[in-house]
Amino acid sequence: MKFTVADLLDQVPQDGSLEVSKLEKILRLTNRADKQSLSIALKGLNRLGVLSLEDESSISRGDDIGFIEARLRCSSKGFCFAIRDDGGEDIYIRDHQLNHAWNGDRVLVRIIRDAGRRRSPEGGVQCILQRATTSLLAQVEQQDERLLAVPLDDRLLASIELPEGDSNYQLEGPATSVVEVQLDRYPIAQHPARGHVARSLPLNGGVDADRDLLLTKAHLHSRASAPRTTIKAPADKRRKDLTDQPCLLLNNWEIDGAPHLPAVHVIPHDGGTQLWIHAPAVAERVNPGNSLDQWLCEQSEALCLGNKWIPLLSANLSKAAAFKVGDSQAAVSLRVDLDAEGEARDWEFCLTQIRPVAEVTSEALAALAGRKPRSRAIPAALKSIKDQIGQLETLIFCAKALHAADLRHGQIELDLPTPDLETLGDLRVTEPDGGNRQWIEPLREEDPFSILAVFLRAAHATWTEHCLDFNLPAFVLQANDPDSGPLNDVAKAAIALELPLSLDEEGTTSASELAQALIASPSRRVLNLQLRHTLPDPQYRLIQSKAKHIALAGEEDHSSIETEDGLGDIDTANDTDEIAGSAQDGSTLLLAPWCCPSLHYADLLNQQVLCQLLNDGKDRPSVRQKETVNLGSKGAASRMTWPLFSGSLQQRLQELLQERQLQRLNSRRRQQTELRRDVIAMAQARSAEPMLDHEQQGVISGVQSYGFFVEIAPSMVEGLVHVSSLNDDWYEYRSRQNRLVGRRNRRVYKLGDPVTVRVTKVDVLRNQIDLDIVLSSEETQEESPMPVAVSEG
């Protein structure tokens, strides 16, 4: 079909009806077969109660409200859960209730058994809204009389039938390649899935082949070319000329084609600092809804593959918006006045024209850090920017104050740098926006992106607060609170390592308090690894005004917003300080990013709202009124007693950000995150291949009943010592102490212990490293090996 059920439902209004003939035009269905497929789909949705079909000529939303939209997440063990879009409790789906849905599919679920005391609610898949898998990596096997593609992803609990002509792809002996299989038919009723081999991919074809392999695995290898469209020129209206301001470009990327980033300027101000952040004016150059905008929405994310970038922006758009030293360029800017503690006292958003004067690299910051106080000698790395040394010192002071403020407000700090492997290229450095995660990294004064990430967090938090003041719609990143169970497990592991950790009356602690307690621990890294796994990844949510029109200052509706996914109301009058940054317990992130439109499409959408506010917002009740309100300034909403936009502009604003964009944004964000992890994991696995059959020093980074994981420096590759290989004793797993203990020799393997291991197997494709423990001569006992058993202590 040319459409998915999700595409179909996106077009049906919440209120009223839609003619089927109009739906056919929207979905661009012209031939009889496509129209017949639509008719079958509508009849099926009508039977389910999702839609109401009236005389087969018009459709409307159904009355059945028992359906829950979710994304399916399966494990290799066969356990499947529906992860709700509204953030509610996960729903357990038994295998006979999957109805041929696969891992990653968007589905409609109906709950068939309510949650119990220690049991998740159970449900069944009623409808597959959108398939996540259109192609997959597999190996070809002959089973009886059928030729099958067996997916490498063991979360896909199905095999795909292949035509006999694909039998030449069947491997004999050790695997040297895999195949990409295109799905021709998904399973239905008693009929299995069918597909065909699209191409063969080598497993040892070098860096480029590895890249192609990972892009195919992430379903990101097919990318449409950017449409040929005219790029708009930003308007000069209301644009401030700041070309005399000596702003700086902080850069730590080395690969050609890397996205362009904001410029910054910092000066001392009233005992604190005044920080300017200038974002590239991308939103002003794109017409919402045109072919270029639709293409950008489809891409959604810039992708870094180590030594290669797949940019988000088209080549002409990137060139038009890029900042270059010495060139005048349009920008969307924020001025924020900070006190000595890093707290914002005042701010202003504005449209500007800037001219960067210098680029600051890690070499320059390292030279600044190594320069002796009051020294008149200028290191070679600083000579080209010697006039900006004073600003660099103020810049670092400002970053320290902001970072300290983040920690005071409950941000979770984890020290988990990316492995320093040459093949990782630009993935080795700090993400300039901090990755928009639920945790932050320590401030590294010699890293330009570490400093920039602190500034961008402040800029995004400021826009979030300003946006809520005006009741403007925005895409925000929000993370759920970590589950108390896994969090307490990390706390138990820390206590077992004799860390001074204070617990509340219920014997629990918050993630931020736990992270702070780990800072001074020699086992900080392995405990940080454990803590990171407890923190859910943030997802985009859409916040909108409850009112049909943006509320006036002083009206009741102005103080609350609602999220499209039902996360509840937010009281902007009382909670703005908490939700604009991190929550006070450090567990919830709510930020509306806007500074990096060359990295994320969501930033571009939020920047469009900001630009509409500054370009088209009414700053006075009528043209006869001489006194105006600066709409970009702090507290401007409280000084207004008139509508912010006309009816047509208000409608255009609502069309900029729509709920149906959420699924694509979150899907692409997950794909980008998983691709980044896979690229790093494959580089680590490749670095482990020369270690095969060699002894290595490592640290135990995780303990489970089936064995323990060991991290090997400097690549930080992780391998598993399976309990079955510990044949010197019978080992018990003691979960409270996070350790394995031998019953006879009392040998202990616990988190953070240094160990010597031998690499026995490296599976690059699955990123699995098998290890054996190597005992010293003193540890080796002459007694005969004993059988191994595992029990829960």
Side-chain angles (χ1 to χ4, degrees):
M1 292 192 300
K2 289 185 177 180
F3 61 91
T4 66
V5 175
D7 295 332
L8 192 158
L9 295 180
D10 282 342
Q11 307 305 325
V12 182
Q14 294 293 334
D15 300 315
S17 61
L18 176 69
E19 294 181 1
V20 174
S21 58
K22 185 176 181 180
L23 179 61
E24 291 173 345
K25 291 180 180 179
I26 294 173
L27 298 177
R28 299 179 181 178
L29 307 180
T30 55
N31 61 51
R32 179 178 296 180
D34 291 337
K35 292 181 179 180
Q36 186 176 8
S37 295
L38 176 63
S39 177
I40 294 172
L42 293 178
K43 289 178 181 178
L45 294 172
N46 179 56
R47 286 186 179 182
L48 288 173
V50 178
L51 293 178
S52 177
L53 184 60
E54 303 168 5
D55 300 327
E56 299 189 4
S57 60
S58 64
I59 54 174
S60 58
R61 294 279 176 174
D63 296 330
D64 196 320
I65 59 174
F67 294 114
I68 298 171
E69 289 194 24
R71 179 175 57 87
L72 204 61
R73 185 175 67 196
C74 300
S75 73
S76 59
K77 306 294 185 182
F79 300 107
C80 294
F81 286 88
I83 312 303
R84 299 172 59 151
D85 288 349
D86 59 11
E89 189 175 2
D90 297 347
I91 304 168
Y92 177 56
I93 311 292
R94 296 183 183 271
D95 53 358
H96 66 278
Q97 294 286 355
L98 284 172
N99 289 327
H100 296 305
W102 288 353
N103 178 63
D105 289 349
R106 281 189 61 210
V107 295
L108 286 180
V109 175
R110 187 190 298 277
I111 292 180
I112 57 178
R113 180 179 295 177
D114 293 332
R117 182 177 178 184
R118 286 188 169 184
R119 186 184 63 202
S120 299
E122 291 187 23
V125 174
Q126 304 298 305
C127 177
I128 299 173
L129 296 175
Q130 189 170 26
R131 290 284 189 178
T133 304
T134 56
S135 68
L136 51 86
L137 295 177
Q139 290 181 330
V140 179
E141 295 182 4
Q142 185 76 40
Q143 295 183 8
D144 298 328
E145 297 180 355
R146 298 194 305 166
L147 188 67
L148 299 178
V150 180
L152 295 180
D153 187 347
D154 53 13
R155 297 171 300 176
L156 295 178
L157 311 175
S159 295
I160 295 92
E161 283 192 349
L162 299 176
E164 287 299 323
D166 288 340
S167 59
N168 58 312
Y169 292 102
Q170 188 174 352
L171 296 177
E172 296 181 4
T176 59
S177 65
V178 294
V179 296
E180 178 194 356
V181 175
Q182 293 282 349
L183 273 298
D184 299 323
R185 184 190 72 188
Y186 292 99
I188 182 170
Q190 73 273 21
H191 303 289
R194 285 183 181 174
H196 67 276
V197 175
R199 56 178 176 152
S200 178
L201 298 166
L203 293 181
N204 296 296
V207 176
D208 290 340
D210 285 350
R211 262 194 225 116
D212 195 15
L213 200 65
L214 294 177
L215 283 171
T216 304
K217 178 183 176 183
H219 313 299
L220 294 170
H221 58 296
S222 298
R223 180 182 172 96
S225 299
R228 295 182 179 180
T229 56
T230 303
I231 304 300
K232 289 197 311 179
D236 293 331
K237 179 184 177 183
R238 302 183 182 180
R239 190 157 242 110
K240 292 185 177 182
D241 186 355
L242 296 180
T243 53
D244 291 336
Q245 183 190 88
C247 59
L248 304 172
L249 298 175
L250 301 180
N251 186 30
N252 207 20
W253 277 328
E254 300 176 353
I255 308 302
D256 293 337
H260 300 283
L261 296 170
V264 299
H265 175 66
V266 188
I267 57 173
H269 181 73
D270 287 347
T273 52
Q274 184 177 90
L275 170 65
W276 284 86
I277 298 171
H278 306 292
V282 176
E284 292 182 277
R285 291 179 162 89
V286 178
N287 281 314
N290 72 355
S291 59
L292 176 59
D293 185 44
Q294 292 175 6
W295 181 82
L296 292 169
C297 178
E298 175 67 26
Q299 311 311 314
S300 289
E301 297 282 340
L303 304 176
C304 182
L305 302 175
N307 290 319
K308 181 181 178 181
W309 277 92
I310 299 179
L312 166 63
L313 305 184
S314 62
N316 58 345
L317 179 57
S318 178
K319 182 178 179 180
F323 293 154
K324 294 182 180 178
V325 174
D327 290 353
S328 178
Q329 184 60 279
V332 183
S333 303
L334 165 66
R335 170 193 57 81
V336 55
D337 296 340
L338 304 163
D339 61 21
E341 302 299 318
E343 304 291 346
R345 295 182 296 200
D346 192 21
W347 66 73
E348 178 190 3
F349 291 92
C350 52
L351 303 175
T352 61
Q353 196 78 16
I354 67 167
R355 183 184 289 113
V357 297
E359 183 177 86
V360 180
T361 63
S362 57
E363 290 78 8
L365 292 177
L368 182 67
R371 189 183 183 213
K372 295 181 180 180
R374 299 182 181 179
S375 173
R376 294 185 179 182
I378 300 177
L382 289 172
K383 285 186 178 180
S384 62
I385 54 173
K386 62 180 180 180
D387 295 337
Q388 306 304 324
I389 291 177
Q391 184 179 179
L392 289 180
E393 292 172 341
T394 307
L395 179 142
I396 292 172
F397 171 84
C398 179
K400 287 181 177 178
L402 283 170
H403 186 76
D406 284 339
L407 295 179
R408 285 198 308 273
H409 294 163
Q411 274 282 13
I412 303 166
E413 182 185 276
L414 303 180
D415 189 8
L416 295 171
T418 303
D420 189 14
L421 297 172
E422 186 176 352
T423 54
L424 288 178
D426 281 345
L427 287 177
R428 292 179 295 176
V429 301
T430 303
E431 295 177 81
D433 61 356
N436 288 329
R437 296 178 292 251
Q438 196 179 166
W439 52 274
I440 63 175
E441 295 183 353
L443 177 64
R444 297 178 174 88
E445 299 176 24
E446 299 177 11
D447 183 350
F449 284 172
S450 180
I451 295 172
L452 184 59
V454 176
F455 293 159
L456 295 188
R457 276 200 305 273
H460 295 162
T462 304
W463 171 241
T464 307
E465 185 170 348
H466 200 76
C467 191
L468 294 176
D469 282 347
F470 274 106
N471 229 0
L472 294 168
F475 280 120
V476 298
L477 276 167
Q478 185 173 41
N480 295 327
D481 295 344
D483 291 337
S484 58
L487 200 60
N488 286 340
D489 289 341
V490 181
K492 291 174 186 176
I495 293 173
L497 294 175
E498 299 180 351
L499 264 68
L501 184 64
S502 58
L503 304 178
D504 59 22
E505 295 179 354
E506 298 180 357
T508 60
T509 185
S510 71
S512 59
E513 291 171 340
L514 184 53
Q516 285 296 308
L518 303 181
I519 289 178
S521 170
S523 301
R524 181 185 184 186
R525 177 172 172 80
V526 293
L527 288 168
N528 278 180
L529 286 169
Q530 302 293 315
L531 182 55
R532 181 185 65 182
H533 295 318
T534 71
L535 304 176
D537 289 332
Q539 290 192 338
Y540 289 111
R541 302 284 188 246
L542 176 59
I543 57 173
Q544 286 186 332
S545 168
K546 282 184 177 180
K548 292 183 179 180
H549 300 285
I550 291 181
L552 306 182
E555 291 186 2
E556 183 178 355
D557 284 341
H558 180 70
S559 63
S560 63
I561 60 174
E562 66 178 3
T563 58
E564 286 289 335
D565 54 4
L567 291 176
D569 297 340
I570 299 174
D571 186 347
T572 61
N574 298 323
D575 296 338
T576 295
D577 289 340
E578 291 189 7
I579 65 176
S582 57
Q584 294 302 312
D585 64 358
S587 60
T588 302
L589 174 74
L590 185 64
L591 291 176
W594 62 276
C595 293
C596 297
S598 61
L599 281 173
H600 315 290
Y601 182 66
D603 287 50
L604 190 152
L605 291 173
N606 285 330
Q607 193 181 99
Q608 284 179 331
V609 176
L610 172 54
C611 291
Q612 181 165 328
L613 171 68
L614 298 177
N615 276 319
D616 303 319
K618 295 178 65 175
D619 58 2
R620 50 187 169 175
S622 68
V623 293
R624 295 187 296 272
Q625 180 73 32
K626 292 184 178 180
E627 186 176 350
T628 63
V629 172
N630 183 349
L631 299 180
S633 63
K634 180 181 181 181
S638 63
R639 299 192 293 272
M640 294 180 60
T641 56
W642 58 89
L644 180 59
F645 296 117
S646 64
S648 60
L649 288 176
Q650 169 65 21
Q651 180 64 30
R652 191 174 77 181
L653 181 67
Q654 297 298 330
E655 292 174 353
L656 281 178
L657 281 71
Q658 298 184 20
E659 193 274 338
R660 67 172 178 262
Q661 293 169 318
L662 271 181
Q663 301 303 329
R664 177 160 298 281
L665 288 176
N666 282 323
S667 175
R668 290 301 194 202
R669 177 175 169 83
R670 282 192 298 270
Q671 287 177 310
Q672 187 266 352
T673 301
E674 291 175 4
L675 179 63
R676 177 185 174 89
R677 290 172 183 165
D678 284 347
V679 171
I680 294 173
M682 179 165 278
Q684 290 175 305
R686 290 295 187 195
S687 73
E689 287 180 318
M691 303 178 188
L692 198 61
D693 297 326
H694 289 75
E695 294 182 7
Q696 302 290 331
Q697 301 300 314
V699 175
I700 295 178
S701 56
V703 182
Q704 298 293 335
S705 60
Y706 51 83
F708 55 86
F709 293 91
V710 177
E711 187 179 70
I712 303 172
S715 65
M716 304 304 178
V717 63
E718 236 182 5
L720 174 66
V721 177
H722 198 272
V723 71
S724 62
S725 68
L726 303 175
N727 54 14
D728 64 322
D729 203 348
W730 186 310
Y731 284 84
E732 290 181 347
Y733 174 53
R734 299 185 179 177
S735 60
R736 292 188 178 182
Q737 291 84 30
N738 220 300
R739 60 185 63 184
L740 288 171
V741 180
R743 284 190 175 182
R744 178 172 55 87
N745 59 26
R746 313 310 296 172
R747 184 171 292 122
V748 175
Y749 294 107
K750 69 177 187 298
L751 201 68
D753 277 355
V755 290
T756 303
V757 293
R758 180 181 292 106
V759 181
T760 59
K761 182 182 177 182
V762 178
D763 187 334
V764 174
L765 196 59
R766 294 179 174 84
N767 302 317
Q768 294 176 354
I769 316 294
D770 291 344
L771 308 172
D772 278 349
I773 198 72
V774 178
L775 299 178
S776 65
S777 56
E778 292 82 6
E779 294 174 315
T780 304
Q781 298 189 14
E782 297 181 356
E783 298 178 15
S784 58
M786 299 180 63
V788 177
V790 178
S791 61
E792 179 72 20

